[in-house]
Amino acid sequence: MPYFQPLTTQPFPVPPEPVGRPVAQPVPTPPGSGPRVEQPSLKPSALDPTADYDFSEYPVGGVWVKEPDSKHVLNSAAAQAVVYVMNVGDRDIQIGSHIHLADVNDDLLFFTDEEAVGEAERVLEDEESPWPDRIAAVRRLAHDRSKTPGRAPWGFRLDVPPGDSKRFSPESSPSEEIEVVAISGRRRVPGLRKDKQLGDISLD
């Protein structure tokens, strides 16, 4: 519990004298060990999806799988790619681990090779050209986000742990190499953009 001590003198122009004696405060009682779980918790695959459970009994940081003895490959190297990102907006843009890169803010531009991103950086630093013209030229150099199955950023997400994110600022454009990984599962990403066409929901 915080200790509140009222000021006996005004803080200005002379600060109060420091307290020369220790302040007595109650010592908090450490929590007990809590109730002991006599029986092991049910496996997640055996839980009723319509019921509520206290998941504090389960260890943190694992992956729930239906068949624990089978092998599960996460973020396969065969599905990885490298892109460069340039933020041509006026503020930072942060994207999460599982958002489809082709659906993110239009001010984030993606480049798939060093030559293109190098040329974009030179265009952006050309102070003799008006800023809107520089942005338009950089957009023309960026990789087309439209549906190109098998090539980033279409069908890819950041290769970071679930729940993590990356922030891209205009000051750090272009970025260093960013590793991305193909979205797996059913590979359907609906509803992230209002202008998304129905034919673009399926990533393949």
Side-chain angles (χ1 to χ4, degrees), residues 55-121:
F55 288 98
S56 62
E57 300 176 4
Y58 293 89
V60 177
V63 177
W64 286 8
V65 295
K66 191 171 183 179
E67 300 175 3
D69 296 331
S70 60
K71 293 183 178 180
H72 299 270
V73 179
L74 303 179
N75 295 10
S76 169
Q80 290 175 336
V82 170
V83 298
Y84 302 85
V85 183
M86 180 175 283
N87 181 356
V88 296
D90 59 359
R91 64 196 67 191
D92 290 358
I93 298 175
Q94 183 166 326
I95 55 178
S97 57
H98 280 67
I99 189 170
H100 184 211
L101 294 179
D103 287 330
V104 300
N105 193 310
D106 284 334
D107 285 336
L108 278 187
L109 307 181
F110 296 92
F111 301 83
T112 55
D113 61 85
E114 288 185 280
E115 183 177 347
V117 75
E119 178 62 24
E121 187 173 18

Side-chain angles (χ1 to χ4, degrees), residues 3-5 19-26:
Y3 175 77
F4 175 75
Q5 180 181 4
V19 179
R21 60 184 185 281
V23 178
Q25 299 189 46

Side-chain angles (χ1 to χ4, degrees), residues 79-81 99-102 150-158 180-183:
Q80 290 175 336
I99 189 170
H100 184 211
L101 294 179
R151 187 169 182 188
W154 180 268
F156 282 73
R157 62 176 178 85
L158 295 176
V180 297
V181 65
I183 295 175

Side-chain angles (χ1 to χ4, degrees), residues 138-169:
V138 168
R139 288 186 182 278
R140 288 193 294 269
L141 291 168
H143 178 68
D144 186 2
R145 298 190 193 184
S146 62
K147 195 168 185 178
T148 312
R151 187 169 182 188
W154 180 268
F156 282 73
R157 62 176 178 85
L158 295 176
D159 189 4
V160 296
D164 279 10
S165 62
K166 283 186 179 293
R167 178 174 293 182
F168 301 94
S169 65

